[in-house]
Structures are given as C-alpha cells and as structure tokens.
C-alpha cells in the first residue's frame, strides 16, 4: 500500500434486485434491475463518486452474483481486494417494493448465513485499517459471529486513529426481532434491541463519530429525543453525533459545543432506500475536507436527496458536480 485510503468501510455487500415498476407490489412486478448493494458498500461507492480513494472489507458467495459485485466495485472505482469469497453460503440478494414517497419495504435473502457475516479477525489487514483516514463500521456487522469479533477487533486495532464512524444501522430482523425500536415491533423488537445494545456500547467506545436515525440511536442509548440521543452518544465516547430525523432534517452535535440543525432538502422521492448511504459517503467527504458542521450537513442532505429522486442506490450516487449544481438551485 503506497498511501492510506481515504475511506475503508466494513460490512454488508449484496445484490439489490429492484422493481422497474413503481407503485406495484412484488407479486405483480414483471421487470427488475440488478444493482450493487449493501449499506457499507454503498457508502464507499458514494465517497468514491466524490473523488475519494475507497475500499470495502466484506465477503460474497463464490458464485456469479459474487463475480458481478467485484466487477461493479471496480467499475465504481472502489478497491475490492478485501472482498473475499465464502464457499458455504450464497451471495445475498435484497428485493424491495417502491411506493413513493415513503413506503419502501425490504426483503432480505441472507440465509442460512450471509457471507459478509463470516469476516474473521485473523483475515483483517490491521495496518490498512489503522492507516485509513476514515474507517466505517455498521451495526449489522455486530449481529453475528465471527463478524462481531472481527468488527470489534478492527475497532481495537484502529484505536480511534483518524476518524472512526459507527453507522448505527439498525436492522432488527438480523437480531431476531421485527419493526423499529420502541415505537413498534412489540416484544420481539424490544428484545432484539436489548440484545444489540451491549455490542453497540462496545463499538461506541472505539468510535469518534456516530450516525443514525432516531430508532437506531435509541438502540444504542435507550432514549428517543434527538438532542438527548446526541448527548447520550457523546457521553458514550464519540466526538460527533449525527441524528437523521427524516422530514425534520438532521441534527449534528460536536463534543466541543458546536451544533447544526439543517432542514431536509425538498425533492420528489422515487426510492428513499439509498439516501442514507449517499448521506454517509458525503459526510465522509466533508469530514475528510475538514468542513464546518452546517455546510457538511447541507451537502450530505443534498446528496441524499439526489439519490432519493432516483431508482437505484449505488448507481444513483451523485458526483461532486451534481451535488454542487443541486445546491446552487436550492
């Protein structure tokens, strides 16, 4: 390695199978598109589209879908050297339904086990992880072994060097639950949240930035008020807490007392599923540039809005010129 990566992400990768028919339930969809997917992977793609040098740590099946994901990563300019095959499990696929503006059910096919949950501690390139300007991990990586141990080992090796981002990324079905956090999901949702919290707390001790929506922040903190969530995350060890509030915009609170609360960027939504990943990649772009909180949040909001106005996730990630043009019109 001649120079450190701007961003290394670690976590989910898979194939998104999205309907090309909008507003139609899956049972009636006749045509689909195939796209690179997985939240950690999409964040790397988003940052690469903004000119950053990025790599992903993940695993696929040893199958044609795995071959496709490698090719897609290379096409997006994302280093795939740490995306390795697992013989025992197929590459995951994810289906969605698209009912704009705010209903996008997801159907994950990750059983009996997703290869990205078979990342092992001994396989990690700890030197590269330590050297990266930003290292990004997700809550999903903590849900099963050996990925859980690998994620925590990577964080310990990183030892808060540079910027370490914990994407709270709450997917209760990966923890044996349903629904969101306390607002729905019944007993299974509450139990899943309780199972996840100790591992979230462990990861937060090694992170410098936490980012997530209110449901995700509640898993980590036990509270739902956005400002209370942000303060609790700071108390748990991070320097910057970013709470996404959907139609209320985004709140960012820094340990040094700086805050920014930015309203959402209006857009006609086609598919909201990739907006958060675009936000994440743009957040990394701003952190790498040393931006102030408010312009960084406005930029990340705009990048997320652009993706929400498009069908796909990875291939919808905007370039810097597109974000600049969007902001100039807003």
């Amino acid at each position: 390695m001649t120079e450190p990566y701007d961003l290394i992400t670690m976590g989910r990768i898979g194939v998104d199978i999205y309907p090309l028919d909008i507003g139609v339930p899956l049972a009636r969809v006749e045509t689909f598109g195939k796209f690179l997917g997985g939240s950690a992977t999409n964040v790397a793609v988003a940052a690469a589209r903004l000119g950053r040098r990025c790599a992903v740590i993940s695993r696929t099946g040893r199958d044609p879908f795995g071959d496709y994901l490698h090719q897609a990563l290379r096409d997006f300019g994302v280093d795939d050297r740490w995306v390795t095959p697992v013989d025992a499990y197929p590459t995951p696929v994810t289906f969605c339904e698209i009912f704009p503006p705010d209903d996008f059910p997801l159907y994950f096919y990750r059983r009996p086990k997703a290869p990205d949950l078979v990342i092992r501690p001994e396989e990690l390139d700890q030197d590269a992880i330590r050297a990266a300007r930003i290292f990004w991990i997700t809550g999903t990586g903590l849900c099963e072994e050996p990925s859980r141990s690998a994620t925590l080992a990577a964080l310990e090796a990183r030892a808060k060097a540079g910027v370490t981002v914990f994407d709270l990324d709450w997917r209760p079905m990966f923890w044996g639950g349903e629904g969101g956090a306390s607002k729905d999901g019944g007993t299974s949702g509450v139990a899943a949240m309780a199972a996840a919290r100790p591992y979230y707390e462990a990861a937060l001790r090694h992170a410098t930035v936490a980012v997530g929506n209110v449901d995700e922040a509640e898993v980590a903190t036990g509270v739902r008020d956005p400002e209370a969530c942000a303060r609790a995350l700071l108390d748990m060890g991070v320097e910057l807490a970013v709470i996404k509030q959907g139609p209320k915009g985004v709140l960012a609170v820094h340990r040094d007392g700086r805050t920014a609360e930015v309203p959402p960027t209006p857009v006609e939504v086609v598919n909201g599923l990739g907006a958060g990943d675009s936000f994440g990649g743009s957040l990394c772009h701003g952190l790498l540039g040393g931006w102030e909180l408010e312009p960084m949040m406005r930029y990340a909001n705009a990048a997320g809005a652009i993706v929400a106005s498009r069908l796909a996730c990875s291939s919808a990630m905007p370039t810097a010129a597109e974000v600049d043009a969007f902001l100039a019109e807003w």
Side-chain angles (χ1 to χ4, degrees), residues 12 14-26 29-39 42 65 68 92-99 104-109 171 270-277 307-308 310-317:
R12 286 204 313 275
V15 180
D16 287 344
I17 309 293
Y18 284 1
L20 301 183
D21 303 318
I22 306 297
V24 177
L26 277 179
V29 173
E30 295 186 357
T31 55
F32 295 84
K34 176 174 98 266
F35 305 97
L36 172 71
S39 62
N42 283 337
F65 274 151
Y68 162 71
V93 297
T94 303
F95 289 84
C96 78
E97 294 176 305
I98 300 177
F99 298 105
F104 308 101
L106 279 169
Y107 303 90
F108 292 97
Y109 290 77
R171 306 287 180 176
V270 174
N271 182 2
L273 292 174
D277 300 331
V307 172
R310 299 171 175 176
L311 174 65
C313 292
S314 55
S315 60
M317 298 299 172

Side-chain angles (χ1 to χ4, degrees), residues 211-272:
V211 57
N213 60 33
V214 173
D215 271 1
E216 293 166 333
E218 185 189 5
V219 175
T221 67
V223 297
R224 286 192 64 81
D225 174 76
E227 184 145 347
C229 286
R231 297 296 175 188
L233 289 166
L234 295 178
D235 289 343
M236 295 169 81
V238 303
E239 296 175 10
L240 174 64
V242 180
I243 307 297
K244 295 180 284 187
Q245 304 176 80
K248 295 183 180 179
V250 61
L251 170 68
V253 181
H254 197 280
R255 180 178 297 280
D256 64 12
R258 289 178 294 146
T259 65
E261 191 158 13
V262 175
T265 307
V267 70
E268 184 175 347
V269 173
V270 174
N271 182 2

Side-chain angles (χ1 to χ4, degrees), residues 54-141:
C54 303
V56 175
I57 300 170
S58 193
R59 306 198 73 179
T60 70
R62 194 183 296 274
D63 52 32
F65 274 151
D67 296 340
Y68 162 71
L69 295 176
H70 279 279
Q71 186 58 58
L73 285 169
R74 295 171 193 147
D75 289 346
F76 284 122
V78 176
D79 196 322
D80 65 341
R81 71 181 65 191
W82 296 305
V83 180
T84 57
V86 176
D87 290 323
Y89 304 118
T91 299
V93 297
T94 303
F95 289 84
C96 78
E97 294 176 305
I98 300 177
F99 298 105
D102 59 3
D103 187 18
F104 308 101
L106 279 169
Y107 303 90
F108 292 97
Y109 290 77
R110 292 170 56 86
R111 293 299 178 190
K113 191 184 185 87
D116 55 62
L117 295 175
V118 193
I119 303 171
R120 301 183 185 280
E122 62 270 20
E123 297 166 343
L124 299 173
D125 186 336
Q126 294 190 355
D127 290 337
I129 289 169
R130 274 190 292 267
R133 297 175 67 193
I134 297 181
F135 180 56
W136 177 289
I137 63 103
T138 77
T140 295

Side-chain angles (χ1 to χ4, degrees), residues 135-194:
F135 180 56
W136 177 289
I137 63 103
T138 77
T140 295
L142 300 170
C143 74
E144 288 189 38
E145 293 289 3
S147 172
R148 177 185 299 152
S149 292
T151 300
L152 294 174
L155 290 171
E156 290 173 8
R158 175 81 171 168
K160 289 196 173 184
V163 176
T164 302
V165 182
F166 181 11
D167 174 4
L168 301 175
D169 180 41
W170 176 238
R171 306 287 180 176
M173 68 286 292
F174 300 160
W175 295 85
E178 298 178 358
S182 65
K183 69 177 183 178
D184 56 36
T187 302
S188 68
V190 173
M193 186 168 58

